[in-house]
């Protein structure tokens, strides 16, 4: 399978402005594409990056109304759904879009998605989109189930306000874990991070994954300034994590490639480059101290980047 990052920013689209560049890591909110070896098109989250993905799909059958895609939503916070009204393939009759996500607040996924486009928030309602455009099928997911049709998609709740699913895709012995919008629940003891219950579940969930996308919105100082005698607002309970915990989880789980995402809107490319260096130093130190079998590659995800997970046909 191939994974392409169309949006890796958290919270709000963050275009470059004078003195604050974001074009290297990207400013669009969460959207990942997975093209399976079977040729199937899977999409994870519909942040503003979905508009760009939609344009790319127009030359792949979706422009002629012959496209099919499955779209999996981690949750329905704005930064994960705001691209949908600007997804051109949804306006073209004949395309078939299957949307999967958790039903919450006593509403089906379809009712929640319709809410985003209700009058007077947007000029085209979901009902109008559906009448003239693509076939839209909504599927309410319940935790603990999985979907199998060639590839296996499973999902698990992680720690985030209003709840959020992490998805795991397995195809031809390749595993990719999409774990955005998650807050770690462990604590530091003598400078060493000790996993909490949620962290341990994620370690188990991502065991031996070939690649993992993990929420690393904050530096440790931004997450909990008081622990470093710094001024500033604590980000505890906001539902996001740090590169340090992401690296700890990847090391413990034996993840081969770690992509850190949900970049903070106040992190420019220069800031991200500096945090990348810190993350690499942290990885080197942790790996040299521990008894780990796999040293993962670690980087902050970049919009436009593609990962190729080669199928494994034989195992020994
Ligand atoms: Zn988010
Ligand atoms: Zn969220």
């Amino acid at each position: 399978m191939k994974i392409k990052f169309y949006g890796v920013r958290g919270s709000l689209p963050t275009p470059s402005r004078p003195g604050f560049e974001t074009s290297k890591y990207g400013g669009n909110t969460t959207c990942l594409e997975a093209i399976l070896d079977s040729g199937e098109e899977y999409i994870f989250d519909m942040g503003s990056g979905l508009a760009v993905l939609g344009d790319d799909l127009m030359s792949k059958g979706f422009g002629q109304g012959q496209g099919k895609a499955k779209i999996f939503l981690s949750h329905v916070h704005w930064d994960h759904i705001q691209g949908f009204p600007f997804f051109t393939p949804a306006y073209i009759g004949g395309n078939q879009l299957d949307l999967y996500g958790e039903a919450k607040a006593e509403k089906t996924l379809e009712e929640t998605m319709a809410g985003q486009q209700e009058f007077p928030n947007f000029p085209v309602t979901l009902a109008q989109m559906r009448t003239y455009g693509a076939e839209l099928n909504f599927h309410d997911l319940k935790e603990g189930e999985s979907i199998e049709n060639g590839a296996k998609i499973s999902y698990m709740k992680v720690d985030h306000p209003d709840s959020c699913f992490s998805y795991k895709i397995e195809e031809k012995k390749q595993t990719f874990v999409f774990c955005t919008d998650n807050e770690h629940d462990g604590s530091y003891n003598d400078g060493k991070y000790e996993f909490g219950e949620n962290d341990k579940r994620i370690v188990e969930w991502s065991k031996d994954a070939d690649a993992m996308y993990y929420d690393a919105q904050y530096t440790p100082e931004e997450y909990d300034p008081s622990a470093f005698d710094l001024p500033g607002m604590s980000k505890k309970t906001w539902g996001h994590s740090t590169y340090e915990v992401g690296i700890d989880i990847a090391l413990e789980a034996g993840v081969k490639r770690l992509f850190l995402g949900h970049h903070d809107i106040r992190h420019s490319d220069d800031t991200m480059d500096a945090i990348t260096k810190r993350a690499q130093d942290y990885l080197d130190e942790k790996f040299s101290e521990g008894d780990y079998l796999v040293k993962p590659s670690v980087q902050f995800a970049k919009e436009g980047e593609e990962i190729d997970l080669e199928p494994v046909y034989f195992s020994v």
Side-chain angles (χ1 to χ4, degrees):
M1 88 185 87
K2 282 190 174 60
I3 311 286
K4 187 167 177 185
F5 300 130
Y6 276 90
V8 289
R9 188 67 53 172
S11 314
L12 198 66
T14 309
S16 286
R17 56 185 185 268
F20 187 94
E21 283 295 322
T22 58
S23 58
K24 179 174 172 184
Y25 291 89
N28 277 307
T29 55
T30 311
C31 180
L32 278 66
E33 177 191 44
I35 303 174
L36 302 191
D37 290 319
S38 63
E40 279 185 281
E41 175 78 26
Y42 283 16
I43 297 167
F44 292 87
D45 282 352
M46 307 194 295
S48 63
L50 184 74
V52 184
L53 169 56
D55 291 347
D56 284 357
L57 290 177
M58 291 298 284
S59 59
K60 297 181 183 172
F62 288 82
Q64 292 75 44
Q66 294 160 2
K68 275 187 189 179
K70 288 188 168 65
I71 303 174
F72 297 90
L73 295 173
S74 63
H75 63 317
V76 290
H77 282 164
W78 279 342
D79 51 326
H80 300 261
I81 60 168
Q82 66 199 155
F84 189 58
F86 301 93
F87 185 50
T88 310
Y91 292 91
I92 296 175
N95 287 331
Q96 191 183 314
L97 303 174
D98 282 84
L99 292 91
Y100 299 80
E102 189 189 8
K104 50 181 92 175
E106 293 176 5
K107 285 182 182 160
T108 62
L109 177 65
E110 182 174 350
E111 287 166 343
T112 303
M113 286 303 301
Q116 178 176 227
Q117 289 170 239
E118 257 169 29
F119 173 81
N121 293 113
F122 194 72
V124 185
T125 65
L126 192 73
Q128 287 169 328
M129 205 179 201
R130 183 173 242 172
T131 308
Y132 304 107
E135 179 187 326
L136 304 178
N137 303 310
F138 290 87
H139 307 269
D140 293 343
L141 298 182
K142 289 194 183 64
E143 193 184 21
E145 296 176 352
S146 59
I147 302 164
E148 275 195 66
N149 54 349
K152 181 179 175 191
I153 307 283
S154 30
Y155 33 96
M156 177 184 86
K157 272 189 191 175
V158 292
D159 205 337
H160 191 64
D162 311 321
S163 89
C164 179
F165 276 145
S166 166
Y167 287 95
K168 180 158 61 177
I169 327 167
E170 295 161 88
E171 188 193 32
K172 294 186 179 161
K173 297 189 190 296
Q174 291 288 324
T175 303
F176 175 70
V177 173
F178 173 54
C179 187
T180 189
D181 292 55
N182 169 65
E183 182 163 356
H184 52 282
D185 65 342
S187 51
Y188 284 89
N189 190 0
D190 245 350
K192 290 232 179 307
Y193 184 71
E194 292 176 358
F195 291 128
E197 286 313 305
N198 182 53
D199 301 326
K200 287 179 190 165
R201 285 169 65 241
I202 294 173
V203 166
E204 198 52 43
W205 176 245
S206 50
K207 205 91 195 145
D208 303 325
D210 297 283
M212 181 186 200
Y213 179 92
Y214 183 80
D215 179 336
Q217 176 157 344
Y218 302 123
T219 63
E221 295 87 350
E222 288 166 339
Y223 177 75
D224 184 12
S226 65
F228 299 87
D229 289 324
L230 292 168
M233 213 187 304
S234 164
K235 313 294 190 309
K236 286 182 177 179
T237 75
W238 289 20
H240 300 288
S241 193
T242 67
Y243 68 82
E244 284 193 357
V245 178
I247 289 170
D248 282 1
I249 288 174
L251 280 167
E252 193 66 28
V255 170
K256 296 181 190 73
R257 299 166 79 179
L258 177 66
F259 294 88
L260 299 162
H262 211 270
H263 310 328
D264 191 84
I265 62 169
R266 293 183 178 82
H267 289 172
S268 66
D269 288 340
D270 288 347
T271 308
M272 300 289 302
D273 283 343
I275 305 173
T276 298
K277 168 94 180 60
R278 289 183 59 187
Q280 196 58 51
D281 290 346
Y282 182 78
L283 170 71
D284 292 344
E285 193 186 317
K286 285 288 292 197
F287 186 74
S288 67
E289 284 170 0
D291 190 17
Y292 303 109
L293 293 173
V294 176
K295 185 176 186 184
S297 66
V298 174
Q299 66 167 94
F300 282 86
K302 291 190 181 98
E303 190 176 316
E305 187 173 10
E306 248 181 78
I307 320 169
D308 206 344
L309 298 179
E310 297 285 345
V312 178
Y313 293 103
F314 304 103
S315 56
V316 284

